[in-house]
Amino acid sequence: MEVNCALQLKPTSLLNILLVSDTHYGLRELDSLAEAMKDEEIHVILHSGDIIDLPMDKMDVTADVEAERRQQVDDVIQKLVACGRGAPVFYIPGNHDPISMFGSWAPLGSSTLMAHKSLCRITPSLVLAGFGGSVPGYRDGKQVWDAVPFKSNEAMQTQLEPLLSEVRSERASGSATSLGPSDSVVFMSHVGPTGADTAMDRYIHGTPESPVLGGSTYWGRLISDSNIQSSIVVNVHGHTHAGFGCTRVGELSVINPGSLQEGRYGRLVLKQSSGGSWQVDTIAFHTL
C-alpha cells in the first residue's frame, strides 16, 4: 500500500497535534476553538469523523443534495485549516458523514487530506493510518445503535484488515512512499477497540453496569498483537461521545477527545526518541 506524502512536514522531533472529533457541523464551536487556539502552536490537526450531522437513514440522495453535503464538510474542514493557521488537516468519515466519503473523495484544499483506508506520511518517520465508519453498538447483547457503512463487525473487518495487515507486516526496507522498519504509526479510526473504556457509553445511552459497546471487535482483538503494539504509537478515535478520555491497552494509548459539538477536544504531543521511534509525551483534554 502506497503512503501518501502530499502533506509531509519537514523533519522534526516534536509534534503538537490538535485532536478533534464529532463536530456534527458545529460551526459555532469551531469558531470558539479557533479563538482558543489563536496563540497556540499547532503542527497537525486530526479529525476522527462525524464531521457533519446527516441522518443515518437518509444517505442515498440526489446529486444536488450530495453537493450541499460536500459543501458542509468543506465548511468544517476549512474552519479547521484556519484554526491551525495552515497546519495540515487529516480527516476520516464517521457514520453521520456523506456515504460518498467511503469511496472516491476529491481533496478539499491544498492543506487537507481525507485519510480513510489510507497511509499518510506526517514526517519522514511518522505515518498516519486512517479508517472511518462505524459498526453497530450493543447493550446487553442487543443492538441499540445503527451503523454506517458497516452493518456488522465482520463487514468492517473485511475492509480494515488490509490496512492493519500493512502496519503489522515485517518491513525489510522502506521509502517515503512505503512503510519502513523505522516508521512509527498513528492509527486514527472513527470507532475505538471493543473493550476500551473510550469506546463504551456508560452515561448517555448506557449505564456504568450496562454500557453500550460501540467499538470494533476486530480492532479490539488485534490491538494486543505484538507487532501492533510495537508499530502503533497511539489510536485516536471518536464516535462514543460519553467515552472521552484516555486508556491504555498494553503499551498503546487509546484516546477519545470527545465531541467538539459538546465543547470537548484534545491536545497530543508526540516526541521522537533518540533511537528514532515516536512516543506519547503529553495528552490533555479541554473544554470550550
Side-chain angles (χ1 to χ4, degrees):
M1 184 179 293
E2 186 169 298
V3 180
N4 189 323
C5 299
L7 299 184
Q8 179 178 325
L9 299 173
K10 294 179 180 178
T12 182
S13 60
L14 190 74
L15 280 176
N16 291 300
I17 303 174
L18 176 63
L19 305 178
V20 176
S21 189
D22 295 82
T23 45
H24 293 282
Y25 203 56
L27 301 184
R28 183 173 60 183
E29 289 79 15
L30 284 159
D31 289 339
S32 297
L33 180 64
E35 180 65 21
M37 293 294 103
K38 65 180 181 180
D39 296 320
E40 301 292 332
E41 185 176 34
I42 301 170
H43 300 126
V44 175
I45 299 175
L46 302 181
H47 192 310
S48 49
D50 278 356
I51 298 166
I52 60 175
D53 198 28
L54 302 181
M56 287 190 290
D57 60 347
K58 296 182 179 178
M59 289 293 173
D60 296 326
V61 296
T62 64
D64 288 346
V65 173
E66 180 65 22
E68 180 181 337
R69 291 177 172 185
R70 180 181 172 86
Q71 182 58 55
Q72 289 183 345
V73 173
D74 191 34
D75 291 343
V76 171
I77 297 305
Q78 295 309 319
K79 280 186 177 289
L80 285 176
V81 170
C83 181
R85 297 177 298 282
V89 177
F90 299 91
Y91 61 98
I92 56 174
N95 50 294
H96 287 284
D97 292 319
I99 198 72
S100 57
M101 293 184 72
F102 296 95
S104 178
W105 185 258
L108 293 176
S110 59
S111 58
T112 74
L113 201 57
M114 212 277 278
H116 177 56
K117 295 173 64 175
S118 299
L119 297 172
C120 308
R121 189 165 294 282
I122 300 175
T123 76
S125 56
L126 184 67
V127 172
L128 173 73
F131 193 87
S134 72
V135 290
Y138 294 89
R139 182 182 181 190
D140 298 330
K142 297 180 180 180
Q143 182 177 332
V144 293
W145 288 352
D146 291 331
V148 171
F150 306 108
K151 300 307 180 185
S152 68
N153 273 280
E154 292 74 19
M156 174 177 277
Q157 177 176 342
T158 299
Q159 295 198 33
L160 177 55
E161 198 165 18
L163 180 70
L164 291 184
S165 293
E166 188 83 13
V167 173
R168 295 171 65 199
S169 64
E170 296 294 333
R171 309 173 202 157
S173 62
S175 65
T177 57
S178 65
L179 276 174
S182 61
D183 282 330
S184 298
V185 176
V186 172
F187 178 44
M188 178 170 63
S189 52
H190 185 56
V191 299
T194 292
D197 286 343
T198 54
M200 297 184 191
D201 182 344
R202 300 180 187 273
Y203 302 106
I204 300 176
H205 301 100
T207 67
E209 299 78 20
S210 180
V212 177
L213 306 180
S216 162
T217 56
Y218 172 63
W219 174 224
R221 293 193 306 268
L222 197 63
I223 193 171
S224 298
D225 178 270
S226 60
N227 287 338
I228 289 290
Q229 289 278 324
S230 62
S231 298
I232 296 181
V233 182
V234 61
N235 173 209
V236 177
H237 73 90
H239 187 53
T240 310
H241 296 199
F244 65 90
C246 178
T247 190
R248 291 180 72 86
V249 179
E251 296 301 311
L252 199 158
S253 296
V254 181
I255 304 172
N256 177 352
S259 169
L260 188 70
Q261 186 189 43
E262 298 169 2
R264 296 189 177 96
Y265 64 98
R267 302 285 303 277
L268 170 66
V269 178
L270 296 181
K271 194 172 185 179
Q272 191 173 25
S273 69
S274 57
S277 63
W278 286 84
Q279 302 168 349
V280 173
D281 186 51
T282 61
I283 303 167
F285 300 92
H286 302 271
T287 55
L288 296 173

